Amino acid sequence: MTTIVRTVSDLRARVDKWHGQSHKVALVPTMGYLHNAHIALVEAGKQICSRTVVSIFVNPRQFGPKEDFEKYPRDEQRDLSMLANHQVDLAFVPSLEEMYPLKFSTVVSVPSLTQTLCANTRPSHFSGVATVCAKLFNQCRPDVAVFGEKDYQQLQIIRHLVKDLDIPTEICGVPTVRETDGLAISSRNVYLSKQERARAAQINLILAATATRLTEGHEPAKELTNALSQLNKKVGYTPEYLELCDAETLAPITELNTPARLLTAIIINRTRLIDNWPVMPPTT
Ligand code: PAF
């Protein structure tokens, strides 16, 4: 059975008790509308820790003024029954007031990783994510927090944040969970029409093929130009960005001699999709 708590004091009481019993606690932060990719995070948490907490909170501070906060899909009852089916010990479902009381004013930001990629078009998004995650880490004090690699820039920001702020939580990144055709699973996929959905499935194929060619030693500039034209042609929309970046610092790279990441964001009609692929340097 999954216990539901809605206040920080109830959350702390549970987690403190578990720590007193020498349990290790994993936190999986989510915005709800759970799907298989969230469940993969839960399962990863369960591999490392003996107790699992999932937070469900649609965080207004990470949505821009013209973004889909109001229309973001929500279904608490369905989420809670999924968590119960997967033996999650505790769901933390705070209200807006519990997370951001009236005079709340602190902002957490990680400028070295938020001048690039998604931050170019979503300038306040990552400070919203960093602020809510810093709060969740302090509220729950988990031993491990689990995040998906699909939001790769977010994952690197969180890693940086816990290091800079000496937060004693280990960050665990989980490889992107995909539909059978390879489309990265996302709560926003429900917005896609059937035709858009088919086009969206091209994104991962193009990224994967480009990553393979890069690792084979083909020239990055040429491969990126080619991938960009493939995305335009097969997906039918120009990506917001397509970049080859250092896997840790996210600095753009032109020569592949460290582990890298190929990242893209594309808006299909009004649905913004992101995806990324690991790129290893050629072995010779
Ligand atoms: O990845 C998400 O769902 C959100 O950005 C997170 C980490 C739960 C913070 O609101």
Side-chain angles (χ1 to χ4, degrees):
M1 205 190 81
T2 303
T3 305
I4 302 157
V5 291
R6 297 186 187 270
T7 64
V8 175
S9 58
D10 285 348
L11 170 68
R12 284 229 176 114
R14 299 272 166 175
V15 174
D16 287 351
K17 189 167 160 220
W18 287 334
H19 278 146
Q21 297 165 338
S22 300
H23 284 293
K24 273 184 86 184
V25 178
L27 170 69
V28 181
T30 81
M31 298 207 300
Y33 211 69
L34 303 177
H35 45 58
N36 286 345
H38 294 113
I39 299 306
L41 304 183
V42 166
E43 296 303 335
K46 287 207 285 193
Q47 296 283 313
I48 327 172
C49 293
S50 46
R51 291 290 181 268
T52 319
V53 181
V54 172
S55 63
I56 300 177
F57 178 64
V58 184
N59 173 33
R61 289 179 182 243
Q62 68 188 75
F63 290 80
K66 295 199 183 115
E67 292 182 0
D68 56 347
F69 174 67
E70 297 298 339
K71 106 166 205 236
Y72 195 83
R74 293 163 171 87
D75 192 340
E76 187 179 305
Q77 280 323 306
R78 183 177 148 275
D79 288 347
L80 293 174
S81 69
M82 268 178 95
L83 295 182
N85 288 342
H86 289 86
Q87 290 84 42
V88 168
D89 299 289
L90 191 66
F92 175 48
V93 192
S95 66
L96 194 58
E97 296 71 34
E98 183 71 7
M99 288 304 268
Y100 299 119
L102 210 55
K103 291 186 180 154
F104 185 87
S105 111
T106 301
V107 176
V108 180
S109 69
V110 185
S112 64
L113 292 168
T114 53
Q115 320 277 326
T116 177
L117 304 169
C118 287
N120 287 331
T121 49
R122 306 186 77 194
S124 58
H125 171 67
F126 290 115
S127 60
V129 171
T131 304
V132 82
C133 288
K135 279 180 71 75
L136 288 166
F137 297 158
N138 283 327
Q139 291 166 339
C140 179
R141 301 194 276 235
D143 299 278
V144 173
V146 191
F147 292 85
E149 285 186 352
K150 187 194 140 248
D151 295 288
Y152 193 78
Q153 189 173 10
Q154 165 173 288
L155 175 62
Q156 293 314 111
I157 289 167
I158 302 296
R159 288 190 197 286
H160 213 288
L161 165 106
V162 295
K163 194 162 168 243
D164 282 356
L165 299 183
D166 305 305
I167 295 175
T169 295
E170 182 194 324
I171 303 302
C172 166
V174 173
T176 304
V177 182
R178 297 177 181 279
E179 304 284 3
T180 42
D181 59 6
L183 177 67
I185 294 184
S186 158
S187 303
R188 291 192 170 101
N189 290 352
V190 296
Y191 300 152
L192 298 168
S193 71
K194 209 170 156 206
Q195 281 99 334
E196 290 165 354
R197 172 72 187 66
R199 284 166 176 246
Q202 292 296 320
I203 300 170
N204 76 93
L205 299 178
I206 296 166
L207 292 186
T210 308
T212 303
R213 286 182 59 81
L214 287 165
T215 300
E216 283 167 1
H218 295 275
E219 196 196 313
K222 261 196 197 152
E223 292 308 315
L224 286 179
T225 309
N226 183 34
L228 199 58
S229 86
Q230 295 271 319
L231 286 167
N232 270 309
K233 200 164 99 200
K234 295 188 174 160
V235 183
Y237 291 87
T238 304
E240 223 171 73
Y241 63 79
L242 171 72
E243 285 197 43
L244 182 64
C245 297
D246 180 279
E248 196 188 326
T249 65
L250 302 182
I253 54 174
T254 49
E255 273 178 43
L256 186 57
N257 38 38
T258 51
R261 211 84 192 180
L262 183 62
L263 304 104
T264 193
I266 303 194
I267 300 177
I268 296 187
N269 200 355
R270 277 191 302 262
T271 307
R272 189 170 183 281
L273 301 176
I274 55 172
D275 201 354
N276 66 83
W277 212 269
V279 184
M280 292 313 283
T283 41
T284 51

